[in-house]
Amino acid sequence: MSLDHDERYSRQILFRGIGVEGQKRLASARVAVVGCGATGSAVSALLARAGVGTIRIVDRDYVEPSNLQRQTLFDEVDARESLPKAIAAARRVAAFNSQIVVEPEVADLTPENIESLLEGAQLILDGTDNFETRYLVNDYAVKADVPWIYAAAVGGYGATLNVVPGTTACLACIFPDLPTGMVETCETAGVLNPAVNLVASIEAAEALKFLVGATENIRRTLLSWDVWTNEHAEIQAGKPRADCRACGEHDFIHLEGKGRPHITLCGRNSVQIHERHRPVDFGEMSERLKPHGAVRHNGFVLKFWREPYEMTLFSDGRAIIKGTTDTGVARSLYARFVGS
Ligand SMILES: [Zn+2]
C-alpha cells in the first residue's frame, strides 16, 4: 500500500506555520535523537509521524518491562526479547510511517564516536537520562554549530531548553558544572508519563519550527513544569555568556573525554562496561557461558544470568551488568566471563 504523501500530511499542510513548503523541508530534514527511553520515544514518534525525512536514533540500552509504563515505542514482545531500544524503535516507526528513514544505532554516545554518530544532523534532540551525555552533546553542538534541544523529566517535573549556538545560551552557560551531590533520577523519584510527554511534545514542536525555518517562533527560555503540583516557570535563556566554558572559551572538556567515569544507568541498579572493542560471536559465547549460568541470545543481545547478576552483552562487546552499582564488581564479572 502506497499512501499519498499530500493526503497523509494534509492536516499539517493546512496548518499555516507549515504549509506545502514546510512539509517539503520536513521531508528533506535530518535529525538525531540521542537516547530512546521515554522522551526519546515520544519525540521520535511525533517527528516520524510529522514526516521528518531521516531520524537517526542512538541508544545504548535494551527494552525491559519497567519501560513500558512510559516508553511509547515499545511493547511486551520487545521487553521479552530484550531488544535494543534503537532497533525496536526503528521497527515500530516503520510500521506507522514507512516513507521516512530511521537509522538505528545501538551505541553509547562517547567522545570517540559522537562525531560519526551525529554527523549530518541539522538538529539534535535530547532523549537521554543523564547529564554526562547532555554536556557531551552540548560541547559537540557548540563546536559544530548545530542546534540541540535539551529535555528532561523526573517525578512529575519536566524541563526543556533550546540551544542555538552563537545565538542563545548553551547548557553550560546556564549550568556551568555537572550537578553534584544527590540528584533525583527516575530510579529514586520515579517518573510520570504525562511529565515525559509534556516535555517531549514541546521539544517536538520546537523541532518542527527549527526544521521549517520558523525562527521567529522559537522559544528562548528554560521552561519547566510540574504536572503534579502545577508549578511552572520560564527563565530567560538570554545570549551566550562570554565567560562560558563552552561558548565563550571553547574549552570542550566533555568532548575531550576528561574524567569520564563508568556510567550507572538511570532506572535500575546497573553498570555499563565498554572497554572491549571487538565483536562478540554470540553462539560461541553462549557455549562458553552455559556451564556458569542461564544464557540466551537473539541477533542483537546475549543475556547471561548468574545470581545475583544479570549481564546483557551487545555484539560490539559492550555490556550492561544489572544487580550492582559497584564498577569494580561489574568489571571483574565481565573480565571473568567475557574476557578482557
Ligand atoms: Zn555557553
Side-chain angles (χ1 to χ4, degrees):
M1 180 185 62
S2 169
L3 294 176
D4 180 72
H5 179 274
D6 290 350
E7 173 64 17
R8 175 190 279 266
Y9 301 112
S10 58
R11 301 305 187 271
Q12 197 165 275
I13 291 169
L14 279 170
F15 179 73
R16 262 190 304 170
I18 304 235
V20 172
E21 188 51 38
Q23 194 62 47
K24 274 190 201 149
R25 289 190 186 186
L26 294 180
S28 61
R30 183 180 185 88
V31 303
V33 177
V34 177
C36 195
T39 30
S41 271
V43 79
S44 298
L46 290 169
L47 295 181
R49 286 190 191 270
V52 171
T54 306
I55 304 175
R56 172 163 289 190
I57 297 178
V58 182
D59 191 279
R60 65 188 180 190
D61 213 348
Y62 58 91
V63 183
E64 292 187 285
S66 66
N67 301 151
L68 301 178
Q69 164 253 358
R70 65 198 178 284
Q71 303 189 10
T72 52
L73 283 177
F74 313 130
D75 62 27
E76 293 178 1
V77 175
D78 300 330
R80 262 198 295 278
E81 292 179 5
S82 304
L83 266 192
K85 290 181 181 178
I87 302 291
R91 286 184 182 175
R92 182 58 33 80
V93 170
F96 65 73
N97 194 348
S98 58
Q99 296 171 334
I100 63 153
V101 176
V102 173
E103 299 174 343
E105 293 284 350
V106 184
D108 183 28
L109 198 76
T110 64
E112 292 74 40
N113 65 20
I114 188 167
E115 251 169 73
S116 65
L117 288 173
L118 301 187
E119 196 186 12
Q122 62 197 96
L123 176 66
I124 303 162
L125 298 152
D126 179 11
T128 67
D129 57 7
N130 67 87
F131 272 95
E132 283 85 1
T133 309
R134 291 190 180 111
Y135 279 92
L136 176 62
V137 167
N138 187 68
D139 268 8
Y140 170 84
V142 170
K143 192 178 178 195
D145 194 19
V146 180
W148 77 284
I149 306 180
Y150 159 79
V154 64
Y157 168 90
T160 178
L161 169 76
N162 298 324
V163 176
V164 187
T167 304
T168 69
C170 81
L171 187 67
C173 287
I174 298 178
F175 305 110
D177 297 304
L178 283 167
T180 53
M182 183 59 194
V183 179
E184 291 270 50
T185 66
C186 301
E187 183 162 51
T188 57
V191 61
L192 291 180
N193 60 23
V196 168
N197 282 272
L198 175 70
V199 286
S201 291
I202 295 167
E203 184 181 27
E206 295 298 316
L208 293 176
K209 295 180 207 173
F210 272 111
L211 299 175
V212 302
T215 41
E216 70 283 5
N217 292 97
I218 289 168
R219 208 188 65 258
R220 287 167 177 253
T221 60
L222 171 64
L223 171 70
S224 61
W225 201 299
D226 189 311
V227 297
W228 202 256
T229 63
N230 302 313
E231 283 167 46
H232 50 273
E234 273 192 87
I235 300 165
Q236 285 301 321
K239 298 246 173 253
R241 278 177 32 188
D243 63 345
C244 169
R245 176 189 49 71
C247 304
E249 295 165 4
H250 295 268
D251 181 12
F252 301 114
I253 53 170
H254 301 282
L255 210 49
E256 284 152 20
K258 286 179 187 159
R260 265 181 83 83
H262 271 277
I263 299 157
T264 302
L265 299 181
C266 166
R268 40 177 213 273
N269 176 25
S270 57
V271 173
Q272 174 182 245
I273 301 265
H274 49 131
E275 288 172 331
R276 166 178 155 154
H277 290 287
R278 54 195 161 92
V280 176
D281 180 322
F282 287 158
E284 194 185 296
M285 186 62 72
S286 262
E287 288 307 311
R288 200 206 299 179
L289 293 174
K290 261 181 197 160
H292 306 287
V295 57
R296 173 164 72 88
H297 70 91
N298 58 31
F300 305 101
V301 294
L302 177 146
K303 299 200 71 132
F304 172 58
W305 292 268
R306 186 176 168 89
E307 288 297 324
Y309 309 110
E310 177 189 312
M311 180 164 72
T312 304
L313 191 61
F314 296 85
S315 57
D316 62 356
R318 194 166 54 86
I320 293 172
I321 292 160
K322 198 169 162 183
T324 182
T325 50
D326 183 330
T327 54
V329 167
R331 191 184 265 145
S332 73
L333 203 75
Y334 185 93
R336 180 167 166 208
F337 293 109
V338 182
S340 44

